[in-house]
Amino acid sequence: MEKLTVSPSPHIRDNISTSKIMGHVLVAMLPALFMAGLIFGGRALMLIGFCTLTAILWERLCNLVMKRPNTTNDLSAAVTGMLLAFNLPATLPFWMAAIGTFVAIVIVKQLFGGLGQNFANPAIVGRIVLMLSFTGEMTNWVVPFYDSADIETAATPLVTKTAEYYDLFMGRVGGCIGEVSALALLLGGFYLVAMRVISLHTPVAFIGTVFVFSYLAGEDGIYQILAGGVMLGAIFMATDYVTTPVTGKGKIIFGIGCGIITCVIRFYANYAEGVSFSILIMNILTPYINMITEKKPVGAVYPDKKKEASEQ
Amino acid sequence: MKLNGVFLPHEKGTENCETIKIPLPAKVRISMSQSMGAPCEPLVKKGDRVLVGQKIGDSDKFMSAPVHSSVSGTVMAVSDILLANGRTCKAVEIETDGKQEVSPEVKPPDVTDKESLCKAIRESGCVGLGGAGFPTHIKLNYNEAKCHVDSLVINAAECEPYITSDYRTMIEEADSVADGIRLVKKYLGIEKAYIGIEDNKPEAIRLMREKTADDADISVVKLRSSYPQGAEKVIAFNTTGRIIKEGQLPSDQGIIVMNVSTAAFISSYIKTGMPLVSRRLTIDGDIVKTPCNVSAPIGTSYSELLAFAEANMEFAHKIISGGPMMGMCVYDAETPLTKTNNAVLAFKKPLEDKKGMVDSCRQTNCINCGRCIAACPLGLMPARFEKAYDRRDKATLLRLKINLCMNCGSCSYACPAKRDLAEKNQLAKAFAMAK
């Protein structure tokens, strides 16, 4: 018998881990990945693979330069890379995508201290930087099932407002690689909820707000939630743990805020799409939402401020 | 609405193991600090002959309970002993003579009302047998002028994995349990009694319902098998719907919470007068070849108990006094059994990925997932405590009510980043509460 180990309780732990959670997210993105391959072909799959690999590469490089332990095995970089790819058009040049993953991983995540310390969603910021830097390439939407010899592009359904619901639901429309098929994203969302990785609060509040706001603004609510990036944003980006509120109440506020900002940008501003801006703005508000949604513990007694003041 | 924590693997492999009386050990070492409260002063000295049930330690402090000899034999030494909490206290070492001669002090007490009941219970050395070890006579002797206690909550949740000693008490001593509840109810004038049992013990629920069927004021409440169902505040709320507020005792809400084994002991003490000198406990863990429930004299060493259960001590990595969630590691296998010890668990060095039982892993960054917050039965925010403690932010710790943390460990259990939240909470609590 060696010496006994003495450590504080508890002596057992759940077998959940950060990498398992990230693994679940990757699995949940598979339906959308499959649809991306089906609709936009090999180029889209190559871009997804490229983004995922470069994201992991940037993370490892940062670890080496900063002399930190290897964090690529927590899979969060892979999730970021894949999510960013989902937010890009299939025709984007690879070098631009590499800049996107650099911004996401190095600037937004690692420079702030790595996973858990970033205040904004890395993939969202990566997309926004690319959008502002390479607006032409970032809005070059190819039509579904395009012929690579003769690339045909068209405006997204958010601009044309003419697509059929069924096409929007299945994804037979132009747009970013991962956002087009509402069906695939919902499947992924159900998987995440079933695996208890995400709760329903944020997606329901986000999508519900977009629907209601659109209806009130005289737009087609169903069309607005199916077209563009609402599904992708609400299920995969607005549910990122690190950059969103931690309590259920906070998550609902976050989702409603995202929905309102998305619609305001879509209907009254110069951009056709507002999902990424809305999530970024709400990311920045998250510490304040956390502050106002602190939980009241069971049986907590707070000093009566009025009484104290009168006693003094 | 019920208070819930986390759902643990039950590991109650010993639930059908009938209690075995272990062979009398050659010597016992009886610690003078058996429970919450002041340690006792030894009443015997080296060379004295002591008998079973003879009082060998007592204290004049309010918060204390006397200690009795569990064997008959000769006092070998009165020495210092290192307790699991790191403190030292006196211990009486007795060499047994095998006769188990009962002391003439042992006779059924004369109980007629609340006062005599509390006095008798003090003399019995009874403390809460669920683990915390609050002296029972103090719990029962609440101030009637200040609070009207109308509910007796019998804690039979036994929510910690592995432990089945309370379950075996209910199965083997069902009549004593029911009788103990009636006694306490009668002498204290308490109207209602609730027996809270988790739904993973259907046989105990059935038996307790059967034994209390004739009394409409005793009801068996089936609770969800979630941890920490047996925490005082949790079981009080889940049975009576009343919240024990910050700074309150259960009696302030009209509740007394008592462990089921304590109730059974009270009944047998009133009948026989034999003080608390032995107890039932579960011996289990992955190096224990024959996990079992045993009845052992107080003061038996852990090594003796583990040897009885054929533990392979060669691989012993951790020996835990109590359950895996709140139990304490002991420093050495010669640690003696105390009154509050409902289990002795022995584990080998954990495999990295055994389902639900991952013991030690590399800590990674907090990802703000909120699992600790969802896990906390009292709705505290452990991740926020950790961050506030790391920057020594006393005001935030107090505003977030660090003082309410009861160290149940649910937050650490649930954390995917394997952060030692419960440990940090204790440090933060000590830091924030320090004047």
Side-chain angles (χ1 to χ4, degrees):
Chain A
M1 185 171 82
E2 298 165 53
K3 278 189 173 164
L4 291 173
T5 299
V6 175
S7 63
S9 59
H11 308 287
I12 54 171
R13 299 293 180 99
D14 199 357
N15 65 345
I16 187 85
S17 66
T18 304
S19 47
K20 273 185 193 154
I21 292 172
M22 295 298 167
H24 282 313
V25 178
L26 288 175
V27 170
M29 288 197 281
L30 288 179
L33 180 94
F34 176 77
M35 290 308 278
L38 207 65
I39 295 162
F40 298 115
R43 176 68 217 258
L45 293 180
M46 275 162 67
L47 193 60
I48 294 172
F50 179 79
C51 284
T52 311
L53 282 178
T54 49
I56 294 171
L57 198 71
W58 292 126
E59 174 116 340
R60 187 76 193 104
L61 273 176
C62 277
N63 293 155
L64 291 173
V65 171
M66 295 172 170
K67 299 195 172 66
R68 295 259 173 95
N70 182 4
T71 53
T72 53
N73 48 10
D74 68 20
L75 299 180
S76 64
V79 169
T80 301
M82 204 154 151
L83 264 182
L84 179 64
F86 275 17
N87 280 287
L88 304 174
T91 52
L92 193 81
F94 286 115
W95 67 271
M96 289 185 188
I99 291 179
T101 53
F102 176 83
V103 170
I105 297 293
V106 180
I107 297 181
V108 183
K109 190 174 148 193
Q110 290 296 340
L111 287 188
F112 281 90
L115 180 67
Q117 305 295 328
N118 49 304
F119 70 90
N121 186 318
I124 291 271
V125 179
R127 172 189 150 93
I128 289 174
V129 167
L130 289 177
M131 187 79 188
L132 299 177
S133 313
F134 312 108
T135 312
E137 287 81 356
M138 280 294 286
T139 51
N140 185 23
W141 313 114
V142 289
V143 296
F145 315 112
Y146 68 96
D147 175 0
S148 56
D150 174 27
I151 290 175
E152 195 185 329
T153 63
T156 65
L158 266 184
V159 178
T160 62
K161 300 191 178 176
T162 54
E164 296 287 329
Y165 288 156
Y166 179 74
D167 287 342
L168 284 171
F169 188 67
M170 297 306 291
R172 278 195 308 205
V173 290
C176 295
I177 294 173
E179 73 178 19
V180 287
S181 171
L183 171 68
L185 293 167
L186 283 172
L187 276 177
F190 285 130
Y191 175 77
L192 289 180
V193 172
M195 288 295 161
R196 295 175 178 270
V197 173
I198 64 169
S199 66
L200 280 170
H201 298 92
T202 316
V204 169
F206 193 163
I207 296 169
T209 306
V210 170
F211 179 79
V212 172
F213 196 111
S214 305
Y215 178 77
L216 294 176
E219 300 277 343
D220 182 345
I222 296 173
Y223 194 94
Q224 288 296 331
I225 60 172
L226 290 177
V230 171
M231 288 288 175
L232 179 62
I235 294 168
F236 288 97
M237 320 272 263
T239 54
D240 171 39
Y241 291 146
V242 178
T243 56
T244 63
V246 71
T247 60
K249 221 192 280 172
K251 286 184 209 289
I252 292 171
I253 296 175
F254 186 92
I256 292 174
C258 285
I260 292 173
I261 298 169
T262 299
C263 290
V264 167
I265 294 175
R266 277 186 180 180
F267 304 151
Y268 310 115
N270 280 334
Y271 286 98
E273 177 58 295
V275 171
S276 30
F277 287 110
S278 75
I279 295 174
L280 178 62
I281 292 169
M282 293 310 288
N283 282 167
I284 294 167
L285 290 177
T286 293
Y288 302 99
I289 299 173
N290 272 335
M291 214 188 275
I292 59 167
T293 56
E294 264 172 16
K295 278 175 90 175
K296 184 176 180 278
V298 176
V301 178
Y302 297 94
D304 192 340
K305 277 180 191 148
K306 274 183 206 159
K307 206 174 156 191
E308 254 176 36
S310 68
E311 276 170 4
Q312 276 165 4
Chain B
M1 261 302 282
K2 298 276 179 207
L3 298 180
N4 280 316
V6 287
F7 296 92
L8 304 176
H10 299 309
E11 306 281 334
K12 306 254 187 200
T14 53
E15 64 182 354
N16 294 322
C17 301
E18 204 171 311
T19 312
I20 312 162
K21 211 169 167 192
I22 69 156
L24 193 68
K27 69 162 202 188
V28 293
R29 221 155 37 123
I30 301 174
S31 161
M32 288 294 110
S33 175
Q34 293 277 348
S35 61
M36 204 184 269
C40 294
E41 284 303 319
L43 301 175
V44 289
K45 56 184 189 303
K46 192 178 166 183
D48 285 0
R49 177 165 155 76
V50 290
L51 301 173
V52 179
Q54 181 183 335
K55 202 195 274 183
I56 56 168
D58 205 348
S59 164
D60 50 13
K61 300 263 166 42
F62 171 70
M63 187 71 144
S64 68
V67 179
H68 302 82
S69 175
S70 54
V71 294
S72 69
T74 317
V75 177
M76 301 298 292
V78 179
S79 54
D80 279 333
I81 186 177
L82 184 61
L83 301 172
N85 63 12
R87 297 210 178 95
T88 52
C89 82
K90 291 262 179 287
V92 173
E93 224 176 295
I94 304 167
E95 192 183 43
T96 54
D97 59 11
K99 292 182 196 142
Q100 286 302 82
E101 202 176 314
V102 175
S103 158
E105 288 171 26
V106 174
K107 50 179 184 288
D110 193 15
V111 174
T112 49
D113 56 2
K114 181 180 163 185
E115 204 195 323
S116 55
L117 178 75
C118 290
K119 214 173 134 216
I121 288 175
R122 187 187 185 281
E123 285 311 304
S124 76
C126 182
V127 296
L129 296 178
F134 192 89
T136 308
H137 67 278
I138 300 174
K139 187 180 272 188
L140 298 187
N141 203 6
Y142 55 88
N143 185 346
E144 267 163 295
K146 232 180 81 201
C147 39
H148 172 70
V149 172
D150 57 5
S151 304
L152 174 68
V153 173
I154 296 298
N155 189 347
E158 199 157 61
C159 54
E160 283 252 20
Y162 292 100
I163 310 179
T164 57
S165 58
D166 283 349
Y167 176 74
R168 290 312 305 176
T169 302
M170 285 188 276
I171 300 297
E172 294 169 27
E173 296 178 43
D175 287 315
S176 291
V177 172
D179 186 48
I181 296 169
R182 287 198 187 95
L183 269 169
V184 173
K185 251 180 96 232
K186 181 175 137 200
Y187 289 118
L188 268 62
I190 297 174
E191 290 109 68
K192 288 280 296 174
Y194 304 87
I195 309 174
I197 309 176
E198 282 191 349
D199 57 12
N200 63 355
K201 304 173 191 65
E203 185 56 25
I205 295 173
R206 190 195 64 73
L207 200 58
M208 282 296 120
R209 286 210 168 120
E210 187 190 304
K211 297 289 177 193
T212 58
D214 56 335
D215 193 338
D217 291 332
I218 303 178
S219 47
V220 175
V221 184
K222 189 164 145 187
L223 303 165
R224 253 176 117 177
S225 301
S226 69
Y227 177 88
Q229 189 66 262
E232 191 168 68
K233 284 184 182 184
V234 175
I235 199 163
F237 178 78
N238 288 352
T239 50
T240 65
R242 292 182 212 162
I243 292 173
I244 300 165
K245 295 208 181 74
E246 189 183 346
Q248 281 188 330
L249 288 172
S251 57
D252 293 323
Q253 285 292 334
I255 304 169
I256 279 185
V257 183
M258 183 188 270
N259 177 272
V260 65
S261 295
T262 315
F265 169 75
I266 290 175
S267 156
S268 75
Y269 175 69
I270 302 287
K271 279 197 199 102
T272 65
M274 178 57 83
L276 187 52
V277 293
S278 70
R279 72 155 298 149
R280 179 182 282 114
L281 75 154
T282 302
I283 307 174
D284 204 342
D286 54 10
I287 60 167
V288 175
K289 215 170 117 199
T290 49
C292 52
N293 284 295
V294 299
S295 161
I298 304 295
T300 312
S301 75
Y302 280 19
S303 59
E304 198 124 5
L305 293 168
L306 288 166
F308 179 76
E310 298 176 78
N312 189 350
M313 295 301 279
E314 199 184 324
F315 299 110
H317 166 69
K318 263 188 191 181
I319 298 179
I320 300 167
S321 149
M325 290 301 283
M326 283 190 79
M328 284 206 259
C329 286
V330 298
Y331 299 88
D332 104 60
E334 294 310 310
T335 304
L337 179 70
T338 61
K339 291 176 185 174
T340 54
N341 241 178
N342 45 13
V344 171
L345 305 176
F347 294 96
K348 60 174 183 253
K349 213 173 168 73
L351 298 167
E352 272 287 293
D353 230 32
K354 197 184 161 207
K355 188 171 156 45
M357 288 285 151
V358 183
D359 176 80
S360 51
C361 291
R362 190 167 69 94
Q363 269 193 27
T364 52
N365 282 356
C366 169
I367 53 170
N368 201 29
C369 66
R371 280 178 172 76
C372 54
I373 295 169
C376 182
L378 297 182
L380 300 168
M381 303 177 93
R384 294 281 297 278
F385 287 145
E386 190 189 22
K387 282 165 195 159
Y389 175 67
D390 285 345
R391 55 173 198 270
R392 299 295 187 272
D393 181 351
K394 198 167 170 171
T396 303
L397 287 172
L398 290 174
R399 191 185 74 242
L400 295 172
K401 299 292 177 197
I402 183 74
N403 51 319
L404 290 176
C405 174
M406 53 191 181
N407 195 21
C408 70
S410 299
C411 46
S412 289
Y413 179 82
C415 181
K418 312 292 169 205
R419 304 198 67 80
D420 292 324
L421 296 165
E423 182 186 350
K424 270 282 174 64
N425 285 351
Q426 293 311 297
L427 292 169
K429 190 172 173 179
F431 166 74
M433 306 289 280
K435 284 277 161 352

